[in-house]
Amino acid sequence: MYVNRATLSSRSTVFQSMFAASPDSAEFTINDAKYDELAAVLSVNEPTPIDPTEENVEGILRLAERFMLLDATRYMESFISRSGWDDKKKSELSKKFNLKNLLQRRD
């Protein structure tokens, strides 16, 4: 998958460090990530982000947390808030991923 280094670096200190450590590298391997989840988390800043699903929401949140992508976390909070999921599921996700904005809406 092709990404813009400058954009990712400006949104994530993790990516900034990764790219700075190997500035001449054209490829980077990201282990322990499913392609669809990685594509979804990276698409958050695109004009038409990939919609998460109930099946991949936790994976996307893990990647957003791992790469310190606050925009992706906020996007996921909004998605979860608007979803038709029951309050128990929303609460579990809020606590598991420390989704402060979603937790505040639940109170």
Side-chain angles (χ1 to χ4, degrees):
M1 119 181 17
Y2 294 96
V3 298
N4 183 298
R5 286 180 185 223
T7 300
L8 281 180
S9 293
S10 72
R11 294 187 171 27
S12 165
T13 56
V14 175
F15 281 114
Q16 183 180 35
S17 297
M18 182 188 307
F19 298 143
S22 300
D24 296 329
S25 182
E27 291 186 16
F28 294 86
T29 301
I30 297 177
N31 296 315
D32 303 324
K34 293 181 180 177
Y35 183 86
D36 67 313
E37 293 170 354
L38 185 60
V41 78
L42 295 178
S43 78
V44 166
N45 293 302
E46 298 298 321
T48 54
I50 297 169
D51 288 330
T53 65
E54 188 167 356
E55 291 77 29
N56 69 11
V57 71
E58 287 192 47
I60 294 169
L61 284 166
R62 272 193 295 280
L63 290 172
E65 186 176 76
R66 175 178 168 187
F67 294 112
M68 299 172 68
L69 291 164
L70 187 56
D71 291 343
T73 301
R74 288 184 183 138
Y75 180 81
M76 295 305 297
E77 282 182 302
S78 177
F79 172 80
I80 294 165
S81 178
R82 293 186 324 266
S83 76
W85 300 339
D86 62 37
D87 288 342
K88 181 181 177 189
K89 171 116 177 137
K90 290 179 182 181
S91 180
E92 287 171 0
L93 289 169
S94 297
K95 290 175 184 169
K96 185 172 184 176
F97 293 99
N98 195 28
L99 304 175
K100 294 177 183 167
N101 293 330
L102 189 57
L103 280 170
Q104 290 173 353
R105 289 184 203 136
R106 312 282 339 128
D107 296 337

